[in-house]
Amino acid sequence: MNEFLSNHGTELLIKTGEHLYISFVAILLGVVVAVPLGILFSRIPKMADRLISFVGILQTIPSLAILAFFIPLLGVGKLPAILALFFYSLLPILRNTYIGIQGVNASVREAGKGMGMSNWQSIMKLELPLALPVIMAGIRLSTVYLIGWATLAAFIGGGGLGDFIFDGLNLYQPVLIIAGTVPATILALLADRLLAIVEQKLTPTGMKESYEAA
Amino acid sequence: MLEFKNVTKVYDGGKTAVKKLNLKINKGEFVCFIGPSGCGKTTTMKMVNRLIDISDGTILVDGKDIKQQDPVQLRRSIGYVIQQIGLMPHMTIKENIVLVGTLLKWPEEKKNERAKELIKLVGLPTEYLDKYPHELSGGQQQRIGVLRALAVNPPLILMDEPFGALDPITRDALQDEFKKLQKELHKTIIFVTHDMDEALKLADRVVIMRDGEVVQADTPEEILRNPANEFVEEFLGKERLIQGRPDVTTVGQIMEGTPITVQENESLKNAISIMRDKHVDSLLVLDQQEKLVGFIDIEIINLNYKKATLVNEVMEKEFLYVEKDSLLRDTVHKILRRGVKYVPVVDEEKKLVGIVTRATLANLVYDTIWGDGFDVEEHVDLEIAK
């Protein structure tokens, strides 16, 4: 163990950094795109189901294949890796945003509208805060998946902890495989905990208590 | 204040919910819309704050066509209370109450002051302002729902079955509170309900709707007294019509049909023997045309039987009588206030047709309290037949 750390310690830190970077940027892009899209879908519920199934099809494409598809388009490196992971983050966040917003009590929404809230005010002051726990669940799910899948980025030269795993596979060195896997797992768990805390902080007080009361 | 002109609503599916509705509502008037589900009452109400678009016709609020106004601004100027209460679970009671104030960008101070002022109106402690909706009971929540509608003091308030989801006792309490509140505030209120008791209790005017049309729009008294047609009667229910009857029953419907009488040219001796035979202490005096001209009782005869021989010489000509079409409630008033034992009932030509005694009233009260009402009717019919 000590020997491994003295040989690969710095590399491990760098790779972990890369791994985090790839996952983080992909998930950030995912949130930035999927949350507004989910809100938009909630405004066109008739179309929404079909659109969501379409996004679902993207999800079913095997991850290795999607990474490979991006090589002719964007070459190798971090960018295609991030882009591919971004596609995977979309569905859970999109679907949870849509379901979360749909799930906001219709009477609360009607009251808001009847009081004279504009569409924008209704989204910002009512629907997003009330749908937040469901949206956050989608983001957490995506994040955990993405940190796992980000190991595949190594396959197209994106770097990250995947490099250790591929090296280990090629060189028949189980230690390297473990050196890639364990930190990735720990990262995923840590990210999930962190997001849980963020969710706690963002959930409006009145709602936390009403969940507890329920 | 509020005027509907030929207002029509046709939904996308082709269903006509409201047909050429015309109605004028005065300032400060409390109007209840009532009818079976699907009659268009809620649609009518929601068109006022443009939650539902008007297909044809115009609605004027304070003389201004609502279609010319921005819907968001319009809604902020009209109070709105819904059945499901719809308090924002993530906002405190204070934030909920002054929500419209927040939308109108009121300064924080003004909002605090207004919230404190309002919560006192419904008798809740100011500490409640910092609580969240889920900490309140259903009745308390709807009180806050009503306050929220009052926050920016709109002259017009729409209420969509606001007390429908509450238990009967709470509902009753809130109705009373709200009626009191309305007397102080003089808002113009459109109140949708399917509960007739609620409508009769609260409204200045009840608008009964069916299939998108107004069947009858009148004061509660007038609707109970003169239901426009069978539908209204049925909708009111027999029970309510009978319960409401002391208000609208005429004397003719409850009077006893056979008062004991004597002709004016009879002798006093005969009058006394009639009294003895019938076990009564006074007689109504008729002339040849059967018209009521006076009454005579045992006291009068006792004072005068030596001086006079005929009934019309001594009979009392000043007496209380009622026409058979007059209202029972006025008659009851007379009997009770003047302390008379009975009131003769006459028709338009002053011919005697019956009598209302204290015993008749006792029967009526008994039937209202214990009977199912049918007995009263049959009983009355029999009496009239006699």
Side-chain angles (χ1 to χ4, degrees), chain A residues 105-119 121 124-127 129-130 204-211 213, chain B residues 46 49 51 71-72 75-76 78-82 84-91 99-100 102-103 105 132 134-135 148-149 160:
Chain A
N105 197 320
S107 57
V108 169
R109 229 188 293 184
E110 198 201 319
K113 197 173 175 190
M115 295 290 120
M117 280 189 168
S118 64
N119 216 340
Q121 283 169 328
M124 297 310 287
K125 292 194 172 185
L126 278 188
E127 297 172 51
L130 292 176
T205 324
M207 282 192 60
K208 252 182 267 174
E209 285 165 7
S210 37
Y211 280 132
Chain B
K46 286 188 177 174
N49 65 357
L51 283 177
V72 170
R75 286 176 203 137
R76 288 176 190 172
I78 298 176
Y80 188 46
V81 184
I82 60 173
Q84 304 82 359
I85 307 173
L87 294 183
M88 314 305 169
H90 60 302
M91 296 183 187
L99 180 65
V100 186
T102 310
L103 297 177
K105 306 212 162 51
Y132 283 94
H134 71 94
E135 296 173 86
R148 178 173 63 178
D160 187 3

Side-chain angles (χ1 to χ4, degrees), chain B residues 241-253:
Chain B
L241 283 171
I242 288 164
Q243 274 174 9
R245 202 168 56 180
D247 280 338
V248 297
T249 325
T250 60
V251 172
Q253 283 173 282

Side-chain angles (χ1 to χ4, degrees), chain B residues 5-9 16 18-22 56 212-213:
Chain B
K5 278 186 182 165
N6 282 320
V7 173
T8 299
K9 174 67 193 176
T16 308
V18 179
K19 284 176 212 157
K20 288 199 178 291
L21 182 99
N22 282 295
D56 199 22
E213 283 171 287

Side-chain angles (χ1 to χ4, degrees), chain A residues 90-105:
Chain A
L90 278 183
L91 186 69
I93 303 177
L94 178 67
R95 195 167 43 196
N96 277 41
T97 305
Y98 174 69
I99 291 171
I101 300 258
Q102 286 282 298
V104 171
N105 197 320

Side-chain angles (χ1 to χ4, degrees), chain B residues 95 97-107 111 148 151-152:
Chain B
E95 290 168 328
I97 293 179
V98 294
L99 180 65
V100 186
T102 310
L103 297 177
L104 292 171
K105 306 212 162 51
W106 279 13
K111 285 195 279 182
R148 178 173 63 178
V152 298

